[in-house]
Amino acid sequence: MSTPNDDTDDTDDRRGELGYAEAMTELEGILEELEGDHLDVDVLAERVRRASELIKLCRTRISRAQGDVNRIVTDLEVFESELGGVPSTDGDEDELEGDVAAHEGDELF
């Protein structure tokens, strides 16, 4: 069981962080401020610093998601190969039709 101070639980690590969508919304707000004429020079460095933090957060989230997707795809490929692959139906239909044609004249009884 994880405790609030347990660094091994990923969900605990992210509990205080913004989500990707929230970070992007904040970044858009900062961009609007930077594009406007009313930004105080004293606040400029602070906004740029915050934008840098948000960009890093977003890149980290994208990287994690990409790693998760890659692991899932790899797991599915391994699972599929362990099953012997999914048989293709393209050649099987032609083969079946040939079998039926070869036995059309056979009597069942």
Side-chain angles (χ1 to χ4, degrees):
M1 181 174 189
S2 65
T3 61
N5 295 328
D6 188 0
D7 291 338
T8 59
D9 189 355
D10 228 9
T11 56
D12 285 342
D13 291 343
R14 289 187 243 164
R15 197 172 281 158
E17 289 184 23
L18 291 175
Y20 181 84
E22 294 166 323
M24 287 301 294
T25 300
E26 188 175 340
L27 269 170
E28 289 170 3
I30 291 171
L31 181 60
E32 287 177 15
E33 278 185 89
L34 294 175
E35 289 175 341
D37 295 333
H38 307 293
L39 186 63
D40 186 337
V41 173
D42 296 327
V43 179
L44 178 64
E46 177 188 328
R47 295 293 189 264
V48 170
R49 188 176 308 110
R50 179 63 179 158
S52 174
E53 292 169 359
L54 293 168
I55 290 168
K56 289 176 186 176
L57 183 138
C58 289
R59 286 183 176 171
T60 299
R61 293 291 173 100
I62 290 170
S63 179
R64 283 181 190 165
Q66 185 177 18
D68 290 346
V69 169
N70 288 341
R71 277 189 294 280
I72 291 167
V73 169
T74 299
D75 288 347
L76 287 172
E77 289 171 348
V78 168
F79 176 74
E80 191 173 279
S81 69
E82 288 174 352
L83 290 177
V86 177
S88 172
T89 59
D90 295 339
D92 292 345
E93 287 181 17
D94 292 339
E95 198 174 296
L96 182 60
E97 288 174 10
D99 288 344
V100 170
H103 295 286
E104 279 182 345
D106 295 350
E107 292 184 27
L108 296 175
F109 301 99

